[in-house]
Amino acid sequence: MRHTCRGTINLATANITVEDSCNFIISNGGAQTYHLKASSEVERQRWVTALELAKAKAVKMLAESDESGDEEAVSQTDKTELQNTLRTLSSKVEDLSTCNDLIAKHGTALQRSLSELESLRLPAESNEKIKQVNERATLFRITSNAMINACRDFLMLAQTHSKKWQKSLQYERDQRIRLEETLEQLAKQHNHLERAFRGATVLPANTPGSTGSGKDQCCSGKGDMSDEDDENEFFDAPEIITMPENLGHKRTGSNISGASSDISLDEQYKHQLEETKKEKRTRIPYKPNYSLNLWSIMKNCIGKELSKIPMPVNFNEPLSMLQRLTEDLEYHELLDRAAKCENSLEQLCYVAAFTVSSYSTTVFRTSKPFNPLLGETFELDRLEENGYRSLCEQVSHHPPAAAHHAESKNGWTLRQEIKITSKFRGKYLSIMPLGSIHCIFHATGHHYTWKKVTTTVHNIIVGKLWIDQSGEIDIVNHKTGDKCNLKFVPYSYFSRDVARKVTGEVTDPSGKVHFALLGTWDEKMDCFKVQPVVGENGGDARQRGHEAEESRVMLWKRNPLPKNAENMYYFSELALTLNAWESGTAPTDSRLRPDQRLMENGRWDEANAEKQRLEEKQRLSRKKREAEAMKATEDGTPYDPYKALWFERKKDPVTKELTHIYRGGYWECKEKQDWTSCPDIF
């Protein structure tokens, strides 16, 4: 493997892709790429199958050689340590045996001397004392012999059980390796079957007069295949990911209206900046088709907190967590309508619909947002267009926590502090947001609070990634006591219910149901008024809202995705505008983050290098703060820990939780363009 001819491609790391009915490509992801043509489709499939089998065998042999070397080294080390321990125990037992011999020798001499004393004519009292000393010497010798025998038994027991322990340890190690190999092989076989199926179904038919459409179909088929690769293969986290210049930095005229086929991503982005000044942008550079090895990184993450594991940008989408948090305001008009409601129970229905609508953007968004740097901010000023403006700040790094404050001239304020915890469970990834969300209506003083549900990303190792929401949300009006209970039904293969179903009930303080809610968190939410009816025994019975269609009111419906959203990370219309450049923002704004901007422009290799630089800079800042705190402790001087710039940590008057609440001053500083208090984080 080490001595290869020039131009050789190692099968273990090769990429084998089908181009059309007769052509296929073998590449090492770098400079070496071979375009091969078979005489027929059957012949091409034979070659591809043989190469895939050879590749799987090469990967397995490579993994076995690496793992066997590691296991032999570990096994040899364990064996050496065990032998040294047994040798030390044997030496100590030999020392005890020597001492026992000396005790026995001197004890015998002592008894002989005592016997001689007994033969002498001594007073009766002296003879009695000598007998007692003789008996004690005999007991001491017996006790020392028993101690030596116990030590020998311990050594024999240790030698016997050490072999059993070593066998058990080796068995567990073999089981773990066998399980990893099985999972990896299963993932590869599944990926190969999906590629083979897609290659058999998306190939265009060569019919006369359909050359142009066939070409488009072929291109779209390739895009689907590469999208699946993006979902199933990832690079190792510590590696710097490089991408060839010819991998897809150019876009054709069909992708960018009014642009030539030779326009680069840089020129395209400049063109978008010019358009942004006139109107909000409606597109971003298309996501490059680049494959990764998922198993190589995820097998080391099982059971760990993902926020503490460095990830390449290939896992990400070009938005930060602060921008994703701001996306909760996409359907802000629901809060505008709620502010106009005179009935608190009807208002609660709109608040519930707003709560559900915040999950609608997650249905296709399987990529993770960038983890914000400590002190990073994001503003969204839509005061003129939509009547609201929003500010987010990363207030803690470990655990990661973001504070959000939005206020509207239409009569409402929304604030929240969200801490994200996540665990990788092998087959799925659980994301648990912690923290309360507050919505206050100015005219009535109604104060609502609720928490988010758990988000689960399925098929991490095998299959197509998909997202589900599960759990319950209790929305409480702290002024009136009204409540709404929302249930996010987890998806079940055996259930006949509609997927992503959400049900809810709006009750007054006495527990009486006034409205029933029904819908899905990715499409729409309907409201039904519950009318009390007389029961069989003359008492009140409850008529379910969905049994009275005439009372149905559609509270919310998801907006359609933009055209070609599948090529733009499935961003909504609002998400497409969030990272657009704006003048006058704070120097800590997410729009100015260089690695995120490079990734949006398709330069993933440069983005990974920049991401490592920013993370290293953040680590150095943290170490500096820790050193200052330690020095202050040693000197006995007071030390102020890190504090957020625009938010203040204090006890919430409603929930009694410690949370970050907006202290004010940001928009005034923006108006003056006075950013002297902002830290240098980029």
Side-chain angles (χ1 to χ4, degrees):
M1 299 290 286
R2 293 179 182 177
H3 305 284
T4 58
C5 299
R6 184 177 180 182
T8 302
I9 294 178
N10 186 359
L11 265 182
T13 58
N15 294 323
I16 304 170
T17 56
V18 176
E19 193 171 21
D20 55 29
S21 59
C22 296
N23 296 307
F24 61 98
I25 300 173
I26 304 176
S27 172
N28 61 359
Q32 297 294 334
T33 302
Y34 292 111
H35 297 261
L36 304 176
K37 183 176 182 180
S39 58
S40 64
E41 185 174 357
V42 175
E43 187 68 19
R44 183 221 66 197
Q45 191 57 42
R46 287 179 180 175
W47 273 101
V48 171
T49 303
L51 287 169
E52 289 284 0
L53 291 174
K55 177 182 176 180
K57 187 176 181 181
V59 171
K60 185 177 181 181
M61 290 174 62
L62 184 63
E64 287 178 353
S65 63
D66 292 341
E67 291 173 359
S68 62
D70 295 340
E71 294 303 324
E72 287 176 5
V74 172
S75 179
Q76 188 64 29
T77 303
D78 292 344
K79 191 174 181 181
T80 303
E81 290 181 356
L82 185 62
Q83 289 175 350
N84 290 336
T85 303
L86 292 176
R87 195 179 296 113
T88 303
L89 287 173
S90 299
S91 174
K92 297 298 180 183
V93 171
E94 289 297 329
D95 292 343
L96 288 172
S97 298
T98 303
C99 294
N100 180 67
D101 293 339
L102 291 173
I103 290 172
K105 180 180 177 181
H106 293 301
T108 303
L110 178 62
Q111 284 182 328
R112 191 183 304 115
S113 299
L114 292 172
S115 299
E116 291 174 356
L117 286 174
E118 286 181 2
S119 62
L120 296 176
R121 292 182 179 180
L122 295 174
E125 185 178 350
S126 299
N127 288 333
E128 195 67 29
K129 291 288 184 183
I130 291 172
K131 284 182 180 179
Q132 290 179 2
V133 173
N134 196 2
E135 289 175 357
R136 290 176 181 175
T138 303
L139 288 174
F140 178 74
R141 188 175 60 180
I142 293 172
T143 304
S144 64
N145 287 333
M147 182 187 69
I148 294 299
N149 292 333
C151 291
R152 284 202 178 96
D153 292 342
F154 170 75
L155 180 62
M156 292 179 62
L157 191 65
Q159 290 175 338
T160 303
H161 282 277
S162 65
K163 296 178 181 179
K164 295 181 180 179
W165 295 335
Q166 194 172 5
K167 287 181 180 179
S168 299
L169 183 63
Q170 186 63 36
Y171 174 77
E172 294 296 332
R173 188 182 290 116
D174 293 341
Q175 286 290 94
R176 178 179 60 81
I177 295 172
R178 193 174 297 112
L179 180 61
E180 287 185 357
E181 290 177 349
T182 303
L183 280 173
E184 187 173 5
Q185 193 64 25
L186 181 61
K188 289 175 181 176
Q189 291 176 357
H190 186 90
N191 193 22
H192 171 68
L193 288 173
E194 284 192 344
R195 287 185 177 183
F197 174 76
R198 190 175 288 107
T201 55
V202 305
L203 289 176
N206 295 326
T207 57
S210 62
T211 306
S213 61
K215 187 176 180 180
D216 293 340
Q217 292 174 6
C218 183
C219 292
S220 64
K222 283 184 180 181
D224 291 342
M225 292 170 65
S226 58
D227 285 346
E228 184 67 23
D229 291 342
D230 284 347
E231 293 165 346
N232 286 338
E233 298 183 359
F234 294 84
F235 265 103
D236 286 334
E239 296 179 0
I240 298 296
I241 301 173
T242 58
M243 185 168 60
E245 293 180 359
N246 60 352
L247 189 61
H249 283 197
K250 304 289 183 68
R251 299 295 173 205
T252 63
S254 60
N255 291 339
I256 305 171
S257 59
S260 66
S261 60
D262 294 329
I263 189 169
S264 67
L265 286 177
D266 282 342
E267 294 168 350
Q268 178 185 351
Y269 180 63
K270 291 177 182 177
H271 177 65
Q272 289 177 356
L273 285 182
E274 294 174 358
E275 288 186 346
T276 305
K277 297 176 183 178
K278 303 174 185 177
E279 57 182 10
K280 295 181 179 66
R281 66 178 184 178
T282 58
R283 65 176 184 271
I284 60 174
Y286 283 3
K287 179 181 179 181
N289 298 329
Y290 198 64
S291 61
L292 303 162
N293 190 339
L294 170 72
W295 177 252
S296 62
I297 182 171
M298 295 308 288
K299 69 179 181 182
N300 298 319
C301 300
I302 297 178
K304 295 183 180 179
E305 171 62 51
L306 292 189
S307 63
K308 298 182 180 180
I309 300 172
M311 296 285 186
V313 301
N314 306 65
F315 277 94
N316 293 15
E317 61 182 18
L319 288 178
S320 76
M321 188 62 205
L322 303 180
Q323 291 165 315
R324 283 292 294 267
L325 206 57
T326 307
E327 281 191 71
D328 287 356
L329 298 171
E330 179 166 5
Y331 299 96
H332 61 89
E333 62 271 8
L334 291 171
L335 296 182
D336 294 343
R337 289 184 215 160
K340 298 176 182 178
C341 289
E342 297 179 357
N343 187 317
S344 63
L345 295 169
E346 292 180 3
Q347 186 179 73
L348 184 51
C349 291
Y350 283 106
V351 174
F354 174 79
T355 303
V356 175
S357 70
S358 64
Y359 296 98
S360 63
T361 60
T362 65
V363 62
F364 300 114
R365 304 268 288 277
T366 54
S367 300
K368 67 181 287 291
F370 278 79
N371 289 331
L373 302 173
L374 185 62
E376 185 175 335
T377 61
F378 179 73
E379 66 157 78
L380 186 65
D381 190 352
R382 297 289 172 85
L383 206 57
E384 294 182 3
E385 305 97 316
N386 306 117
Y388 73 88
R389 58 186 182 184
S390 163
L391 176 66
C392 292
E393 181 181 2
Q394 187 76 358
V395 296
S396 173
H397 185 58
H398 284 310
H404 180 209
H405 180 89
E407 53 190 12
S408 171
K409 63 182 182 182
N410 294 323
W412 54 265
T413 297
L414 184 77
R415 60 179 174 88
Q416 57 184 320
E417 180 184 349
I418 298 296
K419 298 180 181 68
I420 299 294
T421 60
S422 55
K423 289 289 185 180
F424 176 52
R425 306 295 185 183
K427 293 174 62 178
Y428 61 90
L429 171 68
S430 295
I431 302 169
M432 293 80 70
L434 307 176
S436 298
I437 305 171
H438 299 252
C439 183
I440 304 102
F441 292 97
H442 306 160
T444 59
H446 292 166
H447 189 140
Y448 298 90
T449 62
W450 66 91
K451 296 179 183 291
K452 289 182 175 287
V453 294
T454 298
T455 300
T456 307
V457 184
H458 294 271
N459 290 348
I460 294 292
I461 299 299
V462 179
K464 187 176 179 64
L465 293 175
W466 60 279
I467 289 179
D468 195 21
Q469 315 287 348
S470 58
E472 295 189 16
I473 295 178
D474 288 320
I475 308 173
V476 181
N477 185 337
H478 292 273
K479 183 178 180 181
T480 64
D482 301 335
K483 292 183 180 180
C484 176
N485 175 257
L486 293 173
K487 294 182 180 180
F488 288 68
V489 181
Y491 174 79
S492 174
Y493 180 79
F494 302 100
S495 175
R496 295 183 179 181
D497 274 342
V498 62
R500 310 180 185 96
K501 182 179 179 181
V502 180
T503 62
E505 291 182 341
V506 176
T507 60
D508 60 19
S510 66
K512 181 181 178 181
V513 178
H514 290 263
F515 293 96
L517 305 177
L518 182 64
T520 59
W521 53 263
D522 67 322
E523 282 295 334
K524 65 174 183 175
M525 283 297 293
D526 292 334
C527 171
F528 304 87
K529 190 171 181 61
V530 175
Q531 301 289 347
V533 296
V534 180
E536 295 179 359
N537 299 325
D540 288 341
R542 214 169 56 192
Q543 179 187 9
R544 290 291 179 183
H546 55 271
E547 297 174 359
E549 282 294 323
E550 63 274 5
S551 66
R552 174 194 290 264
V553 175
M554 182 183 291
L555 299 173
W556 161 76
K557 184 177 181 181
R558 180 172 67 92
N559 297 327
L561 288 174
K563 185 179 180 182
N564 298 321
E566 67 277 4
N567 299 323
M568 299 183 291
Y569 308 91
Y570 287 99
F571 280 179
S572 63
E573 290 184 359
L574 175 63
L576 288 173
T577 67
L578 292 180
N579 208 41
W581 182 86
E582 290 186 12
S583 62
T585 59
T588 54
D589 197 89
S590 299
R591 299 175 180 88
L592 304 177
R593 182 166 173 164
D595 55 347
Q596 187 172 303
R597 181 66 66 192
L598 287 167
M599 185 201 173
E600 185 184 271
N601 291 345
R603 299 177 173 179
W604 287 12
D605 52 347
E606 298 173 51
N608 274 294
E610 191 64 24
K611 183 172 182 287
Q612 286 200 344
R613 182 190 70 81
L614 292 174
E615 291 173 349
E616 182 61 28
K617 183 176 181 179
Q618 181 169 241
R619 279 190 286 269
L620 292 175
S621 298
R622 187 186 72 246
K623 290 179 181 178
K624 182 180 178 181
R625 288 194 300 271
E626 291 173 352
E628 291 174 353
M630 187 177 297
K631 187 175 185 300
T633 303
E634 293 173 354
D635 298 342
T637 57
Y639 174 76
D640 291 333
Y642 176 84
K643 293 181 180 178
L645 185 57
W646 308 110
F647 290 81
E648 182 181 4
R649 191 168 189 260
K650 55 185 179 181
K651 182 180 286 187
D652 186 271
V654 175
T655 62
K656 308 303 180 184
E657 300 173 346
L658 279 175
T659 185
H660 282 83
I661 299 177
Y662 180 58
R663 70 174 76 201
Y666 179 86
W667 303 106
E668 291 78 7
C669 288
K670 182 182 180 182
E671 186 176 353
K672 300 175 184 176
Q673 283 300 292
D674 179 14
W675 304 116
T676 54
S677 58
C678 292
D680 177 20
I681 59 174
F682 298 144

